[in-house]
Amino acid sequence: MYRAILFDLDGTLTASAEGITKSVRYALHKLGIDEPDLHKLEAFVGPPLLDQFMEAYGLDEAAAWQAVGYYRERYAQQGIYENQPYEGIRELLQGLKARGYILGVASSKPIVYVRQILEHFKLASFFTVIEGSQMDGSRTTKGEVIQEALRGLKMEGQREQVVMVGDRKHDILGARDAGIDCVAVAYGYGSTQELEQAGPVMIAPTIEGLQRFFL
């Protein structure tokens, strides 16, 4: 039986594609790459940003770091607020807390942004731990972030009682690396095929599906 639930942020708690994709497009433009298709850039929602710039556009590490810097220029000022919690998320978190679950956030996004977003939308108080990556590129993989969240919860020895909830394969694989289960959500930015191939405990099609699973 699960006692603690770790949530991904982008695509799980909040619909954040607009701010992320527009900031990615801004960064690419600064590098001389024009990408008019924002939908294509939804691949950047969830994975570590540096890795995604290298994978999607063939940038070397130095150029990818430059792209990350340009991305943050726009994201920190504007993109972070082009974002909103999914309808029903606040009620889900309230219900889980009332049932006695310990809640946390484990995101690949830099922790400074994670905290800012959760505080902006008045969601931070639901969570016992809030973890993310570091701006310098350390602790970027989902597995590393989850490990840090487990340390914060003091549940490293009770991994069978902790579950990750996320919308991309990185959440599922990161949870597996950290030795915990993962429940995937299909309302975010990962395709059903991507999620099925990664092999979560189950796939919840909606927030109501999460409520039924946990409550």
Side-chain angles (χ1 to χ4, degrees):
M1 179 177 175
Y2 300 125
R3 289 180 51 226
I5 306 170
L6 298 176
F7 286 90
D8 178 44
L9 178 60
D10 297 321
T12 303
L13 295 176
T14 69
S16 54
E18 180 183 357
I20 292 172
T21 57
K22 287 182 176 179
S23 298
V24 170
R25 184 169 64 181
Y26 170 87
L28 292 171
H29 180 74
K30 296 270 280 189
L31 289 175
I33 302 170
D34 287 322
E35 181 52 77
D37 186 359
L38 287 177
H39 181 69
K40 178 181 176 181
L41 298 180
E42 287 186 3
F44 281 81
V45 184
L49 200 58
L50 182 75
D51 295 346
Q52 193 63 25
F53 274 120
M54 295 171 69
E55 180 180 334
Y57 287 91
L59 303 180
D60 61 27
E61 187 170 350
W65 270 117
Q66 191 174 18
V68 169
Y70 290 143
Y71 171 92
R72 289 173 178 167
E73 285 179 1
R74 185 188 186 280
Y75 186 79
Q77 298 299 317
Q78 184 175 354
I80 194 170
Y81 300 115
E82 295 168 328
N83 189 8
Q84 61 182 352
Y86 285 107
E87 185 176 352
I89 277 293
R90 187 177 304 277
E91 292 76 13
L92 172 67
L93 297 175
Q94 288 170 339
L96 293 172
K97 288 286 283 187
R99 187 63 65 89
Y101 285 103
I102 301 165
L103 306 182
V105 173
S107 171
S108 294
K109 185 187 292 296
I111 190 169
V112 62
Y113 296 148
V114 177
R115 291 186 181 278
Q116 190 174 344
I117 290 165
L118 293 174
E119 288 167 5
H120 176 73
F121 291 120
K122 296 180 172 56
L123 296 176
S125 62
F126 288 109
F127 302 107
T128 301
V129 296
I130 297 172
E131 293 297 345
S133 63
Q134 299 294 330
M135 297 285 272
D136 64 2
S138 61
R139 203 171 72 209
T140 57
T141 71
K142 184 52 67 94
E144 291 170 335
V145 175
I146 293 171
Q147 293 280 18
E148 191 65 24
L150 290 170
R151 282 189 283 272
L153 292 173
K154 296 181 172 56
M155 295 186 72
E156 298 128 297
Q158 301 162 301
R159 294 170 194 258
E160 74 284 354
Q161 298 180 27
V162 186
V163 62
M164 180 75 203
V165 177
D167 69 311
R168 299 297 307 271
K169 67 180 181 182
H170 308 83
D171 300 305
I172 302 165
L173 299 178
R176 189 169 299 139
D177 287 345
I180 69 172
D181 288 342
C182 184
V183 170
V185 297
Y187 59 79
Y189 300 107
S191 68
T192 301
Q193 181 182 12
E194 172 186 329
L195 298 177
E196 288 176 345
Q197 287 178 348
V201 170
M202 63 91 70
I203 300 175
T206 61
I207 289 171
E208 290 74 17
L210 278 180
Q211 289 176 321
R212 286 192 295 272
F213 183 78
F214 287 116
L215 300 175

